[in-house]
Amino acid sequence: MENTVLVVEDNELNRMLLTTILEDTYHVLEAENGRKALEILQDSKNSVSAVITDLIMPEMDGFQFLEAYSSSLEFANIPVIVSTSQSDSESEVKCLEYGAWDFIKKPYNAEIIRFRVKNVIERSELYVLRKLRYQEQFDTLTGIYIKNMFVHQTKKMLKEYPDVDFMILHFDIYQFQVYNSVFGMRGGDKLLCHIADMLRKMSGYVEHMTYCRIEADAFCICMPVAGNEDIQRMMDCFQKDLQSYQRDYNILSNLGVFYIEDKEASIYGMIDHAKLASKECKGNYIQNYHIYTEEIGKSIQEAQSIVSDMERAMKEEEFVLYLQPKYGLAEYKLKGAEVLVRWITPEKGMVSPGKFIPVFEKNGLIMKLDYYIWDKSCRLIRNWLDRGLEPFPISVNISRVSMYNPRIVEEIYDLTVKYNIPPKYFQLELTESAYTDNPGTIKKAMRQLQEYGFTILMDDFGSGYSSLNVLKDISVDVLKLDMKFMAASGSENQRRSESIVANVIRLAKDLELPVIAEGVEEKEQVEFLDSVGCEYVQGYYFAKPMPVEEYEKLAFVIESTLKA
């Protein structure tokens, strides 16, 4: 392929002379000054192999051109030859500082010019080739293997030592992005280089070992199998080294361990298994390593299966509404219900919410499920109204993830408009933890929803660490008191628990907030709550979550009896 040479020279005669010398061997482009030369270089259609530039030129001289050239990574592999009649060493040093590769003197010697152009092009091609080969094997920041080379070398090592049992380790830094924000990208890069040096030192005393940087702050190691105590000692050494490296920041590392049983299996799969194991100890300051087990693999596969089935399940309406009644303690009569979701599949039967809700919360799909439930709930209320029934209010949950949706107020309001239902029938529940996650945004959204006429319930009140502070800052309409922290009857902490509950209910009355005690399962709890003035209860003692048809029989039979 014919190489292209760019000649940068303001003197037209010199330009023509250089073009004549080179045009038999190269495609020659011409520029009368440095600015025009930069334009030609930046034009992607012009793949330039070398540049010959004069120093003394109008508009942008050779020094200014070299300065712009040296500051651009885009031009790093293009060699520049300086053409000059000056012979002072100061000019040459300055040109070399800016990255000039060679010099030619005026008047021109055609043979010398051809050789010098040929040499710099060959050197640059060799440099690029070596650089590409290096990048195919080594991480440019740390100088250790990249993932593909690690896989290659690890395969080779496993074959060479068939009698040695090996393990794959996945090592990374907990919340590395926070470290980057504190010490900057350069500080983060220095830490990664330090970790690479740790691995180099480690390889000096481990007989058979390969290691690499996989990505970002993640490193992989393959070494002979070690017991739990040895792994813990290794992690202690890592932690001690990292702590001495940066005394002003508590660097926490995580390690996932995968024991290799089948040496013919995919190394990439082994790395993935070790990575999954490392996630099990993220943020754990006591146990900072975890060993991969089949249970972890099954859990991941199950989660993936759940995610894959979600869209189909929604289309086929496998997510079904269940209603858990709420009762008034004054007359022990039904006063409403909370909407819950059950996933009923033809193949597996009912999938526990404890399995699919955490998966959806983790990957953000809970927002889709939330909207699906809100839509079906509004449809259900519309159905009751169309049948001439006067329904009790039903409440739906808003996940903490959905609260990050900037259109949440509009979406909820639009649903009530779409189905033409009064907001008084459609109540909204938020967990206390959701309030503490994003208080400013939630406060604004709650105020707007209340202005539209929606009733806001704070769910799981008392289960968090800042309940009273949340209550001070955010206006809610109803408290749902979590009874899980209440001690069992007859236990030594029963009296203290009852005192706390009684005082929370008293506080709510002072704030003119009704209280629903949820999770009520014992007769003694009901009697106690009644005695301290709790208005409403919800729990297995009165009713479990039930299908819509069952709830309708309960709700509307009672209602018709009362009217009669």
Side-chain angles (χ1 to χ4, degrees):
M1 186 175 65
E2 187 179 38
N3 288 310
T4 299
V5 176
L6 171 61
V7 174
V8 190
E9 169 69 72
D10 65 314
N11 185 299
E12 188 176 359
L13 186 61
N14 285 339
R15 265 202 328 272
M16 289 176 60
L17 183 58
L18 285 171
T19 299
T20 303
I21 293 169
L22 297 170
E23 64 184 357
D24 288 343
T25 312
Y26 306 100
H27 174 58
V28 181
L29 299 175
E30 298 181 21
E32 61 270 20
N33 57 56
R35 192 174 306 283
K36 180 65 177 174
L38 288 176
E39 290 175 6
I40 292 172
L41 287 175
Q42 286 163 352
D43 186 347
S44 59
K45 290 181 290 186
N46 297 310
S47 182
V48 176
S49 302
V51 178
I52 299 175
T53 181
D54 189 24
L55 286 181
I56 310 302
M57 293 181 292
E59 194 167 344
M60 178 184 275
D61 65 23
F63 292 115
Q64 293 169 322
F65 168 74
L66 280 168
E67 187 176 7
Y69 155 86
S70 64
S71 64
S72 173
L73 292 174
E74 190 181 353
F75 309 145
N77 299 328
I78 303 175
V80 174
I81 301 172
V82 173
S83 163
T84 178
S85 56
Q86 300 177 15
S87 58
D88 63 295
S89 57
E90 187 178 334
S91 294
E92 285 196 14
V93 169
K94 191 174 180 182
C95 290
L96 290 169
E97 283 179 355
Y98 284 142
W101 286 49
D102 205 347
F103 296 88
I104 54 175
K105 300 289 185 184
K106 298 176 182 177
Y108 299 132
N109 181 307
E111 194 172 357
I112 289 176
I113 289 172
R114 290 192 192 98
F115 269 113
R116 297 211 169 184
V117 170
K118 176 177 175 288
N119 287 343
V120 295
I121 289 175
E122 287 178 353
R123 276 165 49 204
S124 70
E125 288 173 347
L126 184 61
Y127 170 77
V128 170
L129 183 61
R130 284 176 177 169
K131 189 174 180 181
L132 287 172
R133 284 179 179 170
Y134 182 87
Q135 290 173 344
E136 286 173 357
Q137 300 180 40
F138 297 97
D139 176 49
T140 53
L141 174 65
T142 62
I144 64 177
Y145 284 144
I146 61 171
K147 186 176 183 179
N148 288 344
M149 195 61 183
F150 168 78
V151 169
H152 174 77
Q153 292 296 98
T154 301
K155 273 184 183 178
K156 186 178 173 184
M157 183 173 72
L158 296 182
K159 284 182 180 178
E160 286 179 0
Y161 303 100
D163 298 330
V164 179
D165 293 327
F166 287 93
M167 60 184 181
I168 295 278
L169 309 178
H170 184 280
F171 178 88
D172 62 7
I173 301 299
Y174 179 60
Q175 293 187 332
F176 178 69
Q177 67 275 16
V178 177
Y179 186 93
N180 263 342
S181 67
V182 173
F183 297 100
M185 294 293 288
R186 185 170 293 181
D189 286 348
K190 285 182 178 178
L191 173 59
L192 297 177
C193 290
H194 179 77
I195 293 170
D197 287 338
M198 285 168 50
L199 297 180
R200 286 190 187 95
K201 290 175 186 174
M202 182 177 168
S203 68
Y205 57 82
V206 175
E207 192 171 355
H208 311 300
M209 174 175 158
T210 56
Y211 55 95
C212 75
R213 179 188 176 204
I214 297 181
E215 59 184 359
D217 61 312
F219 296 80
C220 243
I221 307 161
C222 183
M223 60 183 288
V225 164
N228 289 3
E229 290 182 4
D230 290 330
I231 294 172
Q232 187 59 62
R233 271 196 293 270
M234 179 175 66
M235 285 302 290
D236 291 342
C237 287
F238 282 167
Q239 282 299 128
K240 187 177 179 182
D241 189 288
L242 291 170
Q243 204 55 52
S244 62
Y245 170 78
Q246 184 54 264
R247 297 186 183 279
D248 297 330
Y249 187 93
N250 188 16
I251 301 172
L252 178 64
S253 56
N254 308 283
L255 187 75
V257 183
F258 175 76
Y259 292 122
I260 300 174
E261 294 181 357
D262 179 6
K263 291 185 178 181
E264 299 297 320
S266 166
I267 306 292
Y268 293 103
M270 297 176 191
I271 294 169
D272 289 341
H273 290 338
K275 184 177 181 179
L276 291 175
S278 73
K279 289 182 178 180
E280 296 295 310
C281 57
K282 288 281 184 186
N284 191 326
Y285 284 79
I286 299 171
Q287 180 71 28
N288 54 359
Y289 78 91
H290 199 89
I291 297 170
Y292 178 86
T293 62
E294 289 299 322
E295 286 71 25
I296 293 175
K298 286 177 184 175
S299 174
I300 298 297
Q301 288 175 3
E302 190 175 69
Q304 186 57 49
S305 174
I306 285 171
V307 171
S308 300
D309 289 344
M310 182 189 184
E311 292 290 345
R312 177 196 54 76
M314 280 190 173
K315 287 177 184 174
E316 297 177 12
E317 297 194 337
E318 290 180 3
F319 291 103
V320 179
L321 300 190
Y322 268 52
L323 298 170
Q324 184 169 29
K326 301 171 187 175
Y327 284 84
L329 275 180
E331 299 174 325
Y332 281 33
K333 289 184 177 179
L334 186 70
K335 294 296 180 182
E338 178 183 358
V339 176
L340 303 170
V341 64
R342 297 292 182 263
W343 187 355
I344 303 173
T345 70
E347 304 85 14
K348 304 173 187 174
M350 187 177 290
V351 181
S352 167
K355 285 188 175 181
F356 68 85
I357 295 292
V359 173
F360 292 162
E361 285 179 334
K362 191 173 182 180
N363 59 27
L365 288 175
I366 194 69
M367 291 176 67
K368 277 191 173 183
L369 185 61
D370 275 355
Y371 189 85
Y372 174 94
I373 295 166
W374 303 339
D375 185 87
K376 291 203 79 171
S377 299
C378 287
R379 243 190 292 170
L380 178 62
I381 296 170
R382 182 70 259 160
N383 176 268
W384 287 336
L385 293 172
D386 289 345
R387 288 156 58 190
L389 302 170
E390 180 64 29
F392 295 107
I394 60 173
S395 60
V396 296
N397 289 281
I398 302 177
S399 69
R400 58 205 299 176
V401 178
S402 287
M403 284 310 305
Y404 286 91
N405 176 4
R407 294 197 69 257
I408 186 169
V409 173
E410 290 85 350
E411 286 184 0
I412 292 173
Y413 176 71
D414 288 349
L415 279 173
T416 58
V417 172
K418 175 183 175 182
Y419 291 102
N420 190 24
I421 60 171
K424 67 177 182 178
Y425 295 125
F426 190 64
Q427 300 180 342
L428 309 170
E429 295 195 19
L430 280 91
T431 60
E432 181 190 331
S433 57
Y435 286 94
T436 55
D437 277 354
N438 196 11
T441 303
I442 289 181
K443 187 175 182 179
K444 181 181 176 183
M446 294 304 97
R447 185 172 61 250
Q448 289 175 324
L449 288 166
Q450 285 170 325
E451 287 171 359
Y452 281 131
F454 293 97
T455 299
I456 309 296
L457 291 75
M458 182 188 285
D459 195 14
D460 292 337
F461 183 78
S463 62
Y465 294 102
S466 56
S467 304
L468 296 179
N469 197 43
V470 169
L471 203 55
K472 170 178 71 71
D473 292 335
I474 298 178
S475 174
V476 295
D477 302 299
V478 180
L479 285 187
K480 291 193 75 177
L481 183 62
D482 186 358
M483 295 296 286
K484 291 175 187 174
F485 69 85
M486 201 158 152
S489 301
S491 70
E492 59 181 69
N493 292 326
Q494 182 185 357
R495 187 174 174 185
R496 295 177 67 183
S497 297
E498 289 178 348
S499 177
I500 292 170
V501 171
N503 278 284
V504 168
I505 293 172
R506 192 175 301 118
L507 170 65
K509 283 186 176 295
D510 288 343
L511 296 172
E512 298 181 349
L513 293 175
V515 174
I516 302 172
E518 57 180 336
V520 178
E521 298 180 356
E522 301 172 5
K523 181 182 179 183
E524 292 78 11
Q525 288 178 328
V526 176
E527 291 172 347
F528 166 72
L529 290 166
D530 193 14
S531 70
V532 295
C534 181
E535 293 96 329
Y536 306 98
V537 288
Q538 177 185 351
Y540 278 26
Y541 180 78
F542 286 89
K544 295 180 180 181
M546 59 186 67
V548 170
E549 297 78 11
E550 191 175 328
Y551 173 80
E552 287 178 346
K553 291 176 186 176
L554 179 68
F556 300 119
V557 166
I558 289 176
E559 188 186 35
S560 61
T561 304
L562 287 174
K563 286 181 179 178

